[in-house]
Amino acid sequence: MTAADFELAYGVLPEAMLLATPSGRILAANEAAAALLNRGVLELAATTISDIAARPENVARLLSLFSRNGRLMPGALTFKNGASEIVCRVEGALLPTPDSKALLLRLQPQDDAVKRFRALNDRITELNREIFDRKQVARASTLLSAIVDSSDDAIVSKDLNATIMSWNKAAERLFGYTAAEAVGQSITLIIPPERINEESEILARLKRGERIDHFETIRMRKDGTRLNVSLTISPVKDVDGRIVGAPKIARDITARIRQEKALREANEALQRANADLEQFAYSAAHDLQEPLRMISLYSELLQQRFGGKLGAKGDEYIRFTVEGAARMESLLRDLRIYTQASTTEYGAGGEADANEVLKKALLNLEVAIKESGASIISAGLPRVPLHEFQLEQIFQNLIGNAIRYRSNKPPCIHVSALPQDNEWRFSVQDNGIGIDPKFKEQIFGIFKRLHSASEYPGTGMGLAICQRIIERTGGRIWVESELGRGSTFYFTIPCPEPAADRSGAEELFDSSGRG
Ligand code: ADP
């Protein structure tokens, strides 16, 4: 074949073709080869295969594959292609030419093969991943069934026709049916006849895609006995989002329900006993008043009629009787106030203007304020949901204490209130003798005092009364103090709306016993 024959036969063929001598000198190239190798047809015809190969050493190897039967073993060659390279599959045949023999070569770019190889590789990876995922799923499902089986809670799955699909070991223990007995049966197997409607309600909720959490109900064992259970049931959907089943976890709460019932009964009994005791204390305090009044009356008469006639000892005895009766009267009065603090008479629904109530309390303490030269300062006290009488009791006790437990300085007392979320926090601060912090809880107990009556008069009931009133509103009372550094009593009163929304009367109130 001559270059002209080649041009005639392969010039316009879409496949890249070269005509070369057996030693690799190119005799002719077609347009497709020129395009593939990015060179001109004439340029190619003036060069050798080694010149255009990226690794010329491979050309000799390829040409040596030329076999005696006149066919070339196909092989791959990398050609220079401008700045890059192109890998081609090269195959060809030995043709006779007028003067000697020539090689007719066909070049096939290997890009397609590479692409095919990559695609194949990707598919293999994908298949591998699928196999791995399936193994994972299998492993996870083995793990899951081990967990389900070892669970202490009964785990039962059912389809949307209420047919039991699975039944774990705990379900066997709880309900008394083996898995073989239960699977395939309707779930109504364990529903008491009187609660049979529950199942349709549950199924309707599940069909709506709702999850049922801690639904407390009663289920039935194989032997017919009932048990309290807490059920958690959630719908299971398939890949298309259709609900295909509903696994149910049932926890036996019979013991808890029994304990709760016992606790509730004990609580009720305690409340009844407490109410009886309070009623008793109130009646005792009330009924003792009458005979006590007789004792005070007659001991005072004794003092008037026979005072000075019975000798010093006789006078002293009569004085003790009069003082004892007076003290007992105060104790009984405070005990009555204390028990009254929990009566329904002062239930919810009160409303008091703390500024006004403070004024009333100070009026009651007028004598003590004057005698001690106390000054009381307050600002912006709010309206609070409490009965006026109760707030008066609180102020009177706290301010009365602040005056009574004064140091050698004239008492200086600050009353204020701060809004905090849904409550007001009041404070009553004094500059008195202070309290050892180790007694800061004790002082709120009934009849609890830190001083003798001769040192400081008192019944030990004031703070107990305050605590009772405040705790019944849902508030708290506490003290911050140190010996010799004054005390601050805090108490909170909850309000239905944020405390800051209730306007405090911005009135600076200064009541001074001096001057
Ligand atoms: P009472 O004052 O009648 O003894 P309380 O219940 O009001 O009863 O107070 C209990 C005790 O707390 C008092 O005996 C006193 O020791 C102490 N206390 C209360 N308020 C103050 C105060 N503002 N400063 C110092 N001590 C106080």
Side-chain angles (χ1 to χ4, degrees):
M1 176 183 270
T2 62
D5 294 339
F6 174 87
E7 174 57 31
L8 204 62
Y10 304 108
V12 291
L13 206 74
E15 274 186 297
M17 305 289 291
L18 292 177
L19 187 67
T21 65
S23 61
R25 191 164 57 80
I26 300 172
L27 299 169
N30 71 351
E31 285 294 340
L36 179 70
L37 300 173
N38 208 10
R39 289 166 193 262
V41 171
L42 293 178
E43 187 191 348
L44 280 173
T47 181
T48 67
I49 296 176
S50 300
D51 284 341
I52 60 169
R55 278 167 285 283
E57 62 277 16
N58 292 343
V59 176
R61 195 174 49 79
L62 188 83
L63 294 178
S64 73
L65 291 175
F66 169 57
S67 69
R68 280 187 195 282
N69 65 8
R71 289 199 65 79
L72 275 180
M73 293 288 285
L77 260 190
T78 308
F79 292 97
K80 296 180 211 159
N81 186 353
S84 65
E85 295 179 349
I86 182 165
V87 181
C88 292
R89 178 186 152 91
V90 182
E91 58 182 54
L94 191 65
L95 303 173
T97 61
D99 31 338
S100 72
K101 293 193 171 175
L103 290 171
L104 181 64
L105 302 174
R106 188 158 64 129
L107 312 184
Q108 261 185 317
Q110 292 292 277
D111 276 7
D112 287 353
V114 169
K115 265 186 212 144
R116 274 202 306 279
F117 174 74
R118 284 217 181 107
L120 193 66
N121 214 12
D122 288 350
R123 181 70 191 127
I124 291 171
T125 315
E126 206 174 293
L127 281 173
N128 269 340
R129 194 171 304 130
E130 269 174 35
I131 292 167
F132 177 76
D133 285 352
R134 260 182 225 164
K135 275 192 190 155
Q136 287 285 85
V137 168
R139 211 172 291 145
S141 95
T142 316
L143 189 68
L144 197 62
S145 54
I147 294 171
V148 167
D149 258 353
S150 61
S151 163
D152 274 343
D153 291 329
I155 301 177
V156 171
S157 64
K158 57 179 185 184
D159 64 13
L160 284 191
N161 297 320
T163 305
I164 298 169
M165 317 271 287
S166 73
W167 190 260
N168 74 344
K169 294 256 179 341
E172 291 188 337
R173 285 195 297 275
L174 193 62
F175 298 110
Y177 293 98
T178 63
E181 286 171 320
V183 172
Q185 300 271 0
S186 164
I187 193 75
T188 51
L189 188 68
I190 54 166
I191 304 181
E194 66 275 14
R195 287 182 181 258
I196 211 77
N197 290 342
E198 263 178 18
E199 185 57 22
S200 50
E201 280 168 33
I202 290 175
L203 282 176
R205 285 177 63 183
L206 290 172
K207 281 180 185 161
R208 288 199 297 270
E210 280 177 39
R211 178 187 152 98
I212 294 156
D213 256 333
H214 306 301
F215 174 64
E216 295 194 358
T217 182
I218 293 171
R219 288 293 175 258
M220 193 170 59
R221 292 196 188 88
K222 189 178 177 182
D223 64 9
T225 54
R226 308 291 200 256
L227 72 157
N228 297 87
V229 288
S230 156
L231 301 180
T232 296
I233 315 171
S234 27
V236 171
K237 297 178 182 168
D238 66 8
V239 279
D240 301 322
R242 279 190 304 261
I243 298 167
V244 287
K248 166 190 302 202
I249 301 178
R251 176 165 293 180
D252 183 359
I253 53 166
T254 313
R256 199 198 80 200
I257 296 275
R258 205 178 298 135
Q259 278 163 3
E260 278 175 2
K261 186 163 171 270
L263 200 67
R264 206 170 36 246
E265 283 171 359
N267 236 341
E268 282 165 8
L270 203 65
Q271 268 173 10
R272 273 197 306 275
N274 245 341
D276 286 353
L277 210 61
E278 275 190 10
Q279 185 54 42
F280 168 75
Y282 183 76
S283 311
H286 186 267
D287 295 351
L288 286 175
Q289 250 180 304
E290 200 42 46
L292 185 61
R293 219 166 277 144
M294 298 274 281
I295 297 173
S296 331
L297 186 70
Y298 284 101
S299 52
E300 276 167 28
L301 276 176
L302 263 178
Q303 204 169 32
Q304 284 166 22
R305 294 273 296 273
F306 300 101
K309 293 182 188 157
L310 297 173
K313 274 275 175 243
D315 283 349
E316 195 182 25
Y317 294 164
I318 293 176
R319 189 167 51 82
F320 285 163
T321 318
V322 171
E323 280 174 8
R327 179 156 173 71
M328 192 152 170
E329 248 180 291
S330 332
L331 287 171
L332 288 181
R333 186 204 55 224
D334 282 357
L335 196 60
R336 258 192 352 267
I337 295 173
Y338 178 80
T339 49
Q340 252 175 351
S342 63
T343 58
T344 44
E345 194 186 338
Y346 295 112
E351 169 92 19
D353 176 341
N355 272 308
E356 290 305 313
V357 175
L358 179 67
K359 281 181 199 162
K360 266 195 211 165
L362 295 182
L363 216 58
N364 300 340
L365 293 165
E366 204 179 2
V367 179
I369 293 174
K370 285 237 162 73
E371 274 175 9
S372 61
S375 70
I376 296 107
I377 296 170
S378 75
L381 297 186
R383 295 182 75 80
V384 284
L386 193 64
H387 290 278
E388 282 187 2
F389 172 72
Q390 294 186 309
L391 190 58
E392 193 180 318
Q393 285 285 332
I394 297 171
F395 279 149
Q396 203 167 309
N397 278 311
L398 295 182
I399 297 167
N401 282 353
I403 296 173
R404 230 165 349 123
Y405 301 105
R406 63 181 174 270
S407 62
N408 43 18
K409 287 176 271 183
C412 182
I413 302 158
H414 286 262
V415 181
S416 60
L418 264 182
Q420 286 188 333
D421 299 330
N422 272 49
E423 61 181 23
W424 279 97
R425 195 197 72 180
F426 283 79
S427 62
V428 177
Q429 187 186 29
D430 67 44
N431 58 345
I433 57 172
I435 299 166
D436 186 335
K438 72 175 178 232
F439 297 122
K440 64 190 215 174
E441 313 276 325
Q442 261 186 34
I443 52 171
F444 293 96
I446 53 175
F447 299 126
K448 280 282 173 327
R449 312 206 60 226
L450 302 181
H451 307 278
S452 68
S454 56
E455 249 183 308
Y456 293 97
T459 59
M461 287 299 288
L463 293 178
I465 292 169
C466 293
Q467 187 181 49
R468 184 151 244 224
I469 295 171
I470 290 159
E471 287 187 350
R472 280 184 63 84
T473 70
R476 291 167 300 123
I477 179 166
W478 69 100
V479 67
E480 279 169 20
S481 180
E482 271 179 57
L483 269 180
R485 290 173 174 258
S487 315
T488 307
F489 280 85
Y490 294 96
F491 65 93
T492 60
I493 309 271
C495 348
E497 69 266 34
D501 295 353
R502 293 183 155 237
S503 56
E506 282 303 324
E507 178 183 357
L508 184 72
F509 181 76
D510 188 349
S511 164
S512 173
R514 283 165 282 173

